[in-house]
Amino acid sequence: QLVQSIDLNIRPLEDAAASLRGAADDMMADARGVKDDNPILYQVYHAAAKGYREGAKNFDKALRSARSGTRSILNSTRKQLTSGVQQLMLGYYQALASRELVDTGAELAQAAYDSTVTQRNLGMATDADVEAAEKSLQSARSGQQALSDQLTSLKQQLQYMTGWSYDAQVEVGQAPIPDLSGIDAMNPETDLTRAIGNNYTLIEQRSMSGKSTANHTVKFRTMDESEAKLKIQMEALYQAVLEGRMSYEAALTALESARITMNGNELKYQMGMLGRLEYLQLKTVYLQQKMAADQAALALVQDMEAYYWAVEGLADVS
């Protein structure tokens, strides 16, 4: 839509320039036709053709200026849309990371309800216990449905934003794993230079008129303030990445410990040393740790992407 809007604004300039060049060519053809017979008329035609060409050059200059400005707008918009879809996809993965835990929670609630009903029939539980277990089961099923609806909605939005119809049968790939080598390559001091050159707010500020002394002073003071804000923001984004890396690595360590414990519980369950209810409770504890690790990974990816997009010019320094 943006491209179409820009084309509509630029096309009259292109048409005007082409029209003037065509008129200049026609005028020169007429001039050549009268050059020998009417030198005065030849000069008139020649001068008119020159004027038309100068007019076409002015339109060409306006076109170059317009295209330069629109190129910046298009690049900014393209990056913002790409970043937005990335955030949408990371949100989908964040929700997806909790699905196994939510499903197991519903399975646990069902097993607890069934157990409570059995206990009541044996006189070991009351009707109130059954009602409480039923409420817990309904709550678990409601959470399961809410998560399913959220995932469906996010997936439909993703498909729409990437060119598919909302109801297309599209498979979403595996969640991204943080590239820790990318963190090692980050350097806020050197990356700041690129961020300043790419930042769209600063690009706009640099294009401001500064012919008068007062305007010149205001322009450069504004740019200095924006660059200072950008430096602070780059350092904060980098710090967030470092903190996210620490959380991610800690979550992986905790997950590995939980996995070892869960492997032992799986074996005990297969050997009949654990009942189903107790097994599901232990599995829920493990899945909580697994979800925490998955979400820590996605949070780190999100932090890294925020840093990369700031380098690409999307940091808000207004």
PDB file of all heavy atoms in Angstrom, residues 27-54:
ATOM      1  N   MET A  27      10.475  20.301 -30.547  1.00  0.00           N
ATOM      2  CA  MET A  27      10.885  21.666 -30.849  1.00  0.00           C
ATOM      3  C   MET A  27      12.217  21.686 -31.607  1.00  0.00           C
ATOM      4  O   MET A  27      12.407  22.481 -32.540  1.00  0.00           O
ATOM      5  CB  MET A  27      11.000  22.469 -29.549  1.00  0.00           C
ATOM      6  CG  MET A  27      11.066  23.972 -29.763  1.00  0.00           C
ATOM      7  SD  MET A  27       9.567  24.650 -30.549  1.00  0.00           S
ATOM      8  CE  MET A  27       8.346  24.387 -29.285  1.00  0.00           C
ATOM      9  N   MET A  28      13.127  20.794 -31.241  1.00  0.00           N
ATOM     10  CA  MET A  28      14.406  20.740 -31.932  1.00  0.00           C
ATOM     11  C   MET A  28      14.232  20.235 -33.363  1.00  0.00           C
ATOM     12  O   MET A  28      14.935  20.667 -34.282  1.00  0.00           O
ATOM     13  CB  MET A  28      15.381  19.829 -31.177  1.00  0.00           C
ATOM     14  CG  MET A  28      15.989  20.480 -29.946  1.00  0.00           C
ATOM     15  SD  MET A  28      16.838  22.049 -30.313  1.00  0.00           S
ATOM     16  CE  MET A  28      18.128  21.515 -31.432  1.00  0.00           C
ATOM     17  N   ALA A  29      13.273  19.313 -33.534  1.00  0.00           N
ATOM     18  CA  ALA A  29      12.990  18.838 -34.892  1.00  0.00           C
ATOM     19  C   ALA A  29      12.457  19.998 -35.741  1.00  0.00           C
ATOM     20  O   ALA A  29      12.852  20.167 -36.907  1.00  0.00           O
ATOM     21  CB  ALA A  29      11.978  17.695 -34.850  1.00  0.00           C
ATOM     22  N   ASP A  30      11.576  20.806 -35.150  1.00  0.00           N
ATOM     23  CA  ASP A  30      11.066  21.979 -35.866  1.00  0.00           C
ATOM     24  C   ASP A  30      12.183  22.966 -36.147  1.00  0.00           C
ATOM     25  O   ASP A  30      12.234  23.602 -37.222  1.00  0.00           O
ATOM     26  CB  ASP A  30       9.971  22.656 -35.031  1.00  0.00           C
ATOM     27  CG  ASP A  30       8.710  21.809 -34.931  1.00  0.00           C
ATOM     28  OD1 ASP A  30       8.541  20.905 -35.781  1.00  0.00           O
ATOM     29  OD2 ASP A  30       7.911  22.043 -34.004  1.00  0.00           O
ATOM     30  N   ALA A  31      13.080  23.105 -35.150  1.00  0.00           N
ATOM     31  CA  ALA A  31      14.192  24.055 -35.335  1.00  0.00           C
ATOM     32  C   ALA A  31      15.075  23.633 -36.497  1.00  0.00           C
ATOM     33  O   ALA A  31      15.500  24.478 -37.325  1.00  0.00           O
ATOM     34  CB  ALA A  31      15.013  24.150 -34.040  1.00  0.00           C
ATOM     35  N   ARG A  32      15.363  22.355 -36.598  1.00  0.00           N
ATOM     36  CA  ARG A  32      16.212  21.885 -37.699  1.00  0.00           C
ATOM     37  C   ARG A  32      15.533  22.115 -39.051  1.00  0.00           C
ATOM     38  O   ARG A  32      16.191  22.366 -40.058  1.00  0.00           O
ATOM     39  CB  ARG A  32      16.525  20.394 -37.504  1.00  0.00           C
ATOM     40  CG  ARG A  32      17.576  20.129 -36.419  1.00  0.00           C
ATOM     41  CD  ARG A  32      18.031  18.670 -36.451  1.00  0.00           C
ATOM     42  NE  ARG A  32      16.970  17.761 -36.032  1.00  0.00           N
ATOM     43  CZ  ARG A  32      16.733  17.394 -34.778  1.00  0.00           C
ATOM     44  NH1 ARG A  32      17.501  17.890 -33.812  1.00  0.00           N
ATOM     45  NH2 ARG A  32      15.753  16.559 -34.487  1.00  0.00           N
ATOM     46  N   GLY A  33      14.196  22.051 -39.027  1.00  0.00           N
ATOM     47  CA  GLY A  33      13.460  22.237 -40.276  1.00  0.00           C
ATOM     48  C   GLY A  33      13.523  23.659 -40.798  1.00  0.00           C
ATOM     49  O   GLY A  33      13.360  23.888 -42.006  1.00  0.00           O
ATOM     50  N   VAL A  34      13.718  24.647 -39.921  1.00  0.00           N
ATOM     51  CA  VAL A  34      13.713  26.054 -40.360  1.00  0.00           C
ATOM     52  C   VAL A  34      15.092  26.687 -40.242  1.00  0.00           C
ATOM     53  O   VAL A  34      15.246  27.900 -40.482  1.00  0.00           O
ATOM     54  CB  VAL A  34      12.703  26.873 -39.524  1.00  0.00           C
ATOM     55  CG1 VAL A  34      11.299  26.321 -39.712  1.00  0.00           C
ATOM     56  CG2 VAL A  34      13.098  26.904 -38.052  1.00  0.00           C
ATOM     57  N   LYS A  35      16.097  25.901 -39.868  1.00  0.00           N
ATOM     58  CA  LYS A  35      17.425  26.458 -39.597  1.00  0.00           C
ATOM     59  C   LYS A  35      17.974  27.237 -40.790  1.00  0.00           C
ATOM     60  O   LYS A  35      18.501  28.349 -40.633  1.00  0.00           O
ATOM     61  CB  LYS A  35      18.379  25.325 -39.208  1.00  0.00           C
ATOM     62  CG  LYS A  35      19.787  25.819 -38.838  1.00  0.00           C
ATOM     63  CD  LYS A  35      20.648  24.665 -38.379  1.00  0.00           C
ATOM     64  CE  LYS A  35      22.028  25.183 -37.978  1.00  0.00           C
ATOM     65  NZ  LYS A  35      22.907  24.083 -37.505  1.00  0.00           N
ATOM     66  N   ASP A  36      17.850  26.680 -41.969  1.00  0.00           N
ATOM     67  CA  ASP A  36      18.443  27.331 -43.140  1.00  0.00           C
ATOM     68  C   ASP A  36      17.568  28.464 -43.661  1.00  0.00           C
ATOM     69  O   ASP A  36      18.079  29.480 -44.129  1.00  0.00           O
ATOM     70  CB  ASP A  36      18.659  26.298 -44.255  1.00  0.00           C
ATOM     71  CG  ASP A  36      19.690  25.247 -43.843  1.00  0.00           C
ATOM     72  OD1 ASP A  36      20.570  25.574 -43.013  1.00  0.00           O
ATOM     73  OD2 ASP A  36      19.575  24.101 -44.315  1.00  0.00           O
ATOM     74  N   ASP A  37      16.239  28.325 -43.562  1.00  0.00           N
ATOM     75  CA  ASP A  37      15.331  29.308 -44.137  1.00  0.00           C
ATOM     76  C   ASP A  37      14.999  30.458 -43.190  1.00  0.00           C
ATOM     77  O   ASP A  37      14.731  31.577 -43.627  1.00  0.00           O
ATOM     78  CB  ASP A  37      14.007  28.640 -44.573  1.00  0.00           C
ATOM     79  CG  ASP A  37      14.239  27.563 -45.622  1.00  0.00           C
ATOM     80  OD1 ASP A  37      15.198  27.722 -46.405  1.00  0.00           O
ATOM     81  OD2 ASP A  37      13.466  26.581 -45.623  1.00  0.00           O
ATOM     82  N   ASN A  38      15.002  30.187 -41.899  1.00  0.00           N
ATOM     83  CA  ASN A  38      14.574  31.222 -40.943  1.00  0.00           C
ATOM     84  C   ASN A  38      15.423  31.118 -39.669  1.00  0.00           C
ATOM     85  O   ASN A  38      14.990  30.532 -38.663  1.00  0.00           O
ATOM     86  CB  ASN A  38      13.084  31.032 -40.623  1.00  0.00           C
ATOM     87  CG  ASN A  38      12.502  32.249 -39.933  1.00  0.00           C
ATOM     88  OD1 ASN A  38      13.203  32.987 -39.257  1.00  0.00           O
ATOM     89  ND2 ASN A  38      11.190  32.449 -40.100  1.00  0.00           N
ATOM     90  N   PRO A  39      16.618  31.725 -39.708  1.00  0.00           N
ATOM     91  CA  PRO A  39      17.525  31.643 -38.560  1.00  0.00           C
ATOM     92  C   PRO A  39      16.910  32.184 -37.271  1.00  0.00           C
ATOM     93  O   PRO A  39      17.184  31.672 -36.186  1.00  0.00           O
ATOM     94  CB  PRO A  39      18.725  32.484 -38.987  1.00  0.00           C
ATOM     95  CG  PRO A  39      18.675  32.466 -40.473  1.00  0.00           C
ATOM     96  CD  PRO A  39      17.224  32.451 -40.822  1.00  0.00           C
ATOM     97  N   ILE A  40      16.066  33.228 -37.370  1.00  0.00           N
ATOM     98  CA  ILE A  40      15.479  33.817 -36.158  1.00  0.00           C
ATOM     99  C   ILE A  40      14.518  32.822 -35.502  1.00  0.00           C
ATOM    100  O   ILE A  40      14.548  32.602 -34.282  1.00  0.00           O
ATOM    101  CB  ILE A  40      14.746  35.132 -36.491  1.00  0.00           C
ATOM    102  CG1 ILE A  40      15.766  36.175 -36.964  1.00  0.00           C
ATOM    103  CG2 ILE A  40      13.980  35.634 -35.276  1.00  0.00           C
ATOM    104  CD1 ILE A  40      15.137  37.477 -37.411  1.00  0.00           C
ATOM    105  N   LEU A  41      13.651  32.213 -36.347  1.00  0.00           N
ATOM    106  CA  LEU A  41      12.720  31.236 -35.815  1.00  0.00           C
ATOM    107  C   LEU A  41      13.470  30.027 -35.258  1.00  0.00           C
ATOM    108  O   LEU A  41      13.056  29.433 -34.236  1.00  0.00           O
ATOM    109  CB  LEU A  41      11.751  30.793 -36.916  1.00  0.00           C
ATOM    110  CG  LEU A  41      10.539  29.956 -36.460  1.00  0.00           C
ATOM    111  CD1 LEU A  41       9.729  30.707 -35.403  1.00  0.00           C
ATOM    112  CD2 LEU A  41       9.653  29.610 -37.664  1.00  0.00           C
ATOM    113  N   TYR A  42      14.590  29.700 -35.902  1.00  0.00           N
ATOM    114  CA  TYR A  42      15.414  28.595 -35.409  1.00  0.00           C
ATOM    115  C   TYR A  42      15.884  28.886 -33.985  1.00  0.00           C
ATOM    116  O   TYR A  42      15.841  28.012 -33.120  1.00  0.00           O
ATOM    117  CB  TYR A  42      16.620  28.392 -36.335  1.00  0.00           C
ATOM    118  CG  TYR A  42      17.679  27.481 -35.742  1.00  0.00           C
ATOM    119  CD1 TYR A  42      17.520  26.094 -35.747  1.00  0.00           C
ATOM    120  CD2 TYR A  42      18.831  28.022 -35.158  1.00  0.00           C
ATOM    121  CE1 TYR A  42      18.482  25.279 -35.186  1.00  0.00           C
ATOM    122  CE2 TYR A  42      19.788  27.205 -34.591  1.00  0.00           C
ATOM    123  CZ  TYR A  42      19.619  25.833 -34.607  1.00  0.00           C
ATOM    124  OH  TYR A  42      20.565  25.017 -34.048  1.00  0.00           O
ATOM    125  N   GLN A  43      16.338  30.135 -33.766  1.00  0.00           N
ATOM    126  CA  GLN A  43      16.801  30.511 -32.420  1.00  0.00           C
ATOM    127  C   GLN A  43      15.664  30.434 -31.398  1.00  0.00           C
ATOM    128  O   GLN A  43      15.872  30.015 -30.259  1.00  0.00           O
ATOM    129  CB  GLN A  43      17.378  31.928 -32.459  1.00  0.00           C
ATOM    130  CG  GLN A  43      18.668  32.059 -33.252  1.00  0.00           C
ATOM    131  CD  GLN A  43      19.809  31.289 -32.606  1.00  0.00           C
ATOM    132  OE1 GLN A  43      19.841  31.088 -31.396  1.00  0.00           O
ATOM    133  NE2 GLN A  43      20.752  30.846 -33.459  1.00  0.00           N
ATOM    134  N   VAL A  44      14.461  30.852 -31.829  1.00  0.00           N
ATOM    135  CA  VAL A  44      13.306  30.796 -30.931  1.00  0.00           C
ATOM    136  C   VAL A  44      13.005  29.347 -30.552  1.00  0.00           C
ATOM    137  O   VAL A  44      12.822  29.021 -29.361  1.00  0.00           O
ATOM    138  CB  VAL A  44      12.069  31.433 -31.595  1.00  0.00           C
ATOM    139  CG1 VAL A  44      10.822  31.180 -30.741  1.00  0.00           C
ATOM    140  CG2 VAL A  44      12.288  32.919 -31.781  1.00  0.00           C
ATOM    141  N   TYR A  45      12.947  28.463 -31.582  1.00  0.00           N
ATOM    142  CA  TYR A  45      12.677  27.054 -31.317  1.00  0.00           C
ATOM    143  C   TYR A  45      13.773  26.429 -30.446  1.00  0.00           C
ATOM    144  O   TYR A  45      13.499  25.637 -29.526  1.00  0.00           O
ATOM    145  CB  TYR A  45      12.568  26.272 -32.628  1.00  0.00           C
ATOM    146  CG  TYR A  45      11.303  26.538 -33.420  1.00  0.00           C
ATOM    147  CD1 TYR A  45      11.223  26.222 -34.776  1.00  0.00           C
ATOM    148  CD2 TYR A  45      10.174  27.083 -32.810  1.00  0.00           C
ATOM    149  CE1 TYR A  45      10.060  26.442 -35.506  1.00  0.00           C
ATOM    150  CE2 TYR A  45       9.011  27.320 -33.534  1.00  0.00           C
ATOM    151  CZ  TYR A  45       8.959  27.005 -34.870  1.00  0.00           C
ATOM    152  OH  TYR A  45       7.816  27.227 -35.597  1.00  0.00           O
ATOM    153  N   HIS A  46      14.997  26.777 -30.763  1.00  0.00           N
ATOM    154  CA  HIS A  46      16.137  26.222 -30.034  1.00  0.00           C
ATOM    155  C   HIS A  46      16.091  26.650 -28.559  1.00  0.00           C
ATOM    156  O   HIS A  46      16.335  25.847 -27.653  1.00  0.00           O
ATOM    157  CB  HIS A  46      17.447  26.690 -30.691  1.00  0.00           C
ATOM    158  CG  HIS A  46      18.653  25.978 -30.158  1.00  0.00           C
ATOM    159  ND1 HIS A  46      19.306  26.386 -29.010  1.00  0.00           N
ATOM    160  CD2 HIS A  46      19.311  24.876 -30.602  1.00  0.00           C
ATOM    161  CE1 HIS A  46      20.322  25.573 -28.769  1.00  0.00           C
ATOM    162  NE2 HIS A  46      20.355  24.640 -29.727  1.00  0.00           N
ATOM    163  N   ALA A  47      15.772  27.911 -28.317  1.00  0.00           N
ATOM    164  CA  ALA A  47      15.690  28.430 -26.940  1.00  0.00           C
ATOM    165  C   ALA A  47      14.539  27.763 -26.187  1.00  0.00           C
ATOM    166  O   ALA A  47      14.658  27.432 -24.995  1.00  0.00           O
ATOM    167  CB  ALA A  47      15.499  29.944 -26.959  1.00  0.00           C
ATOM    168  N   ALA A  48      13.410  27.562 -26.915  1.00  0.00           N
ATOM    169  CA  ALA A  48      12.268  26.907 -26.271  1.00  0.00           C
ATOM    170  C   ALA A  48      12.617  25.466 -25.889  1.00  0.00           C
ATOM    171  O   ALA A  48      12.288  24.997 -24.782  1.00  0.00           O
ATOM    172  CB  ALA A  48      11.065  26.925 -27.191  1.00  0.00           C
ATOM    173  N   ALA A  49      13.303  24.773 -26.791  1.00  0.00           N
ATOM    174  CA  ALA A  49      13.711  23.392 -26.514  1.00  0.00           C
ATOM    175  C   ALA A  49      14.640  23.340 -25.304  1.00  0.00           C
ATOM    176  O   ALA A  49      14.525  22.451 -24.443  1.00  0.00           O
ATOM    177  CB  ALA A  49      14.392  22.796 -27.739  1.00  0.00           C
ATOM    178  N   LYS A  50      15.554  24.306 -25.234  1.00  0.00           N
ATOM    179  CA  LYS A  50      16.463  24.366 -24.100  1.00  0.00           C
ATOM    180  C   LYS A  50      15.693  24.581 -22.793  1.00  0.00           C
ATOM    181  O   LYS A  50      15.980  23.962 -21.763  1.00  0.00           O
ATOM    182  CB  LYS A  50      17.475  25.492 -24.307  1.00  0.00           C
ATOM    183  CG  LYS A  50      18.514  25.587 -23.201  1.00  0.00           C
ATOM    184  CD  LYS A  50      19.517  26.698 -23.475  1.00  0.00           C
ATOM    185  CE  LYS A  50      20.539  26.787 -22.347  1.00  0.00           C
ATOM    186  NZ  LYS A  50      21.509  27.907 -22.588  1.00  0.00           N
ATOM    187  N   GLY A  51      14.682  25.465 -22.868  1.00  0.00           N
ATOM    188  CA  GLY A  51      13.855  25.718 -21.685  1.00  0.00           C
ATOM    189  C   GLY A  51      13.096  24.473 -21.238  1.00  0.00           C
ATOM    190  O   GLY A  51      13.003  24.182 -20.041  1.00  0.00           O
ATOM    191  N   TYR A  52      12.572  23.736 -22.218  1.00  0.00           N
ATOM    192  CA  TYR A  52      11.866  22.500 -21.886  1.00  0.00           C
ATOM    193  C   TYR A  52      12.802  21.495 -21.217  1.00  0.00           C
ATOM    194  O   TYR A  52      12.429  20.823 -20.240  1.00  0.00           O
ATOM    195  CB  TYR A  52      11.267  21.870 -23.153  1.00  0.00           C
ATOM    196  CG  TYR A  52      10.096  22.625 -23.729  1.00  0.00           C
ATOM    197  CD1 TYR A  52       9.852  22.639 -25.098  1.00  0.00           C
ATOM    198  CD2 TYR A  52       9.203  23.304 -22.895  1.00  0.00           C
ATOM    199  CE1 TYR A  52       8.780  23.320 -25.643  1.00  0.00           C
ATOM    200  CE2 TYR A  52       8.119  23.994 -23.430  1.00  0.00           C
ATOM    201  CZ  TYR A  52       7.918  24.007 -24.797  1.00  0.00           C
ATOM    202  OH  TYR A  52       6.849  24.679 -25.324  1.00  0.00           O
ATOM    203  N   ARG A  53      14.015  21.401 -21.745  1.00  0.00           N
ATOM    204  CA  ARG A  53      14.978  20.449 -21.172  1.00  0.00           C
ATOM    205  C   ARG A  53      15.376  20.849 -19.749  1.00  0.00           C
ATOM    206  O   ARG A  53      15.555  19.989 -18.881  1.00  0.00           O
ATOM    207  CB  ARG A  53      16.216  20.346 -22.069  1.00  0.00           C
ATOM    208  CG  ARG A  53      15.953  19.584 -23.372  1.00  0.00           C
ATOM    209  CD  ARG A  53      17.222  18.985 -23.952  1.00  0.00           C
ATOM    210  NE  ARG A  53      16.913  18.130 -25.082  1.00  0.00           N
ATOM    211  CZ  ARG A  53      16.956  18.506 -26.353  1.00  0.00           C
ATOM    212  NH1 ARG A  53      17.299  19.732 -26.655  1.00  0.00           N
ATOM    213  NH2 ARG A  53      16.669  17.652 -27.313  1.00  0.00           N
ATOM    214  N   GLU A  54      15.521  22.151 -19.532  1.00  0.00           N
ATOM    215  CA  GLU A  54      15.845  22.625 -18.179  1.00  0.00           C
ATOM    216  C   GLU A  54      14.692  22.298 -17.225  1.00  0.00           C
ATOM    217  O   GLU A  54      14.911  21.903 -16.070  1.00  0.00           O
ATOM    218  CB  GLU A  54      16.117  24.129 -18.194  1.00  0.00           C
ATOM    219  CG  GLU A  54      17.441  24.515 -18.827  1.00  0.00           C
ATOM    220  CD  GLU A  54      18.621  23.923 -18.087  1.00  0.00           C
ATOM    221  OE1 GLU A  54      18.593  23.897 -16.837  1.00  0.00           O
ATOM    222  OE2 GLU A  54      19.570  23.468 -18.759  1.00  0.00           O
TER     223      GLU A  54
END
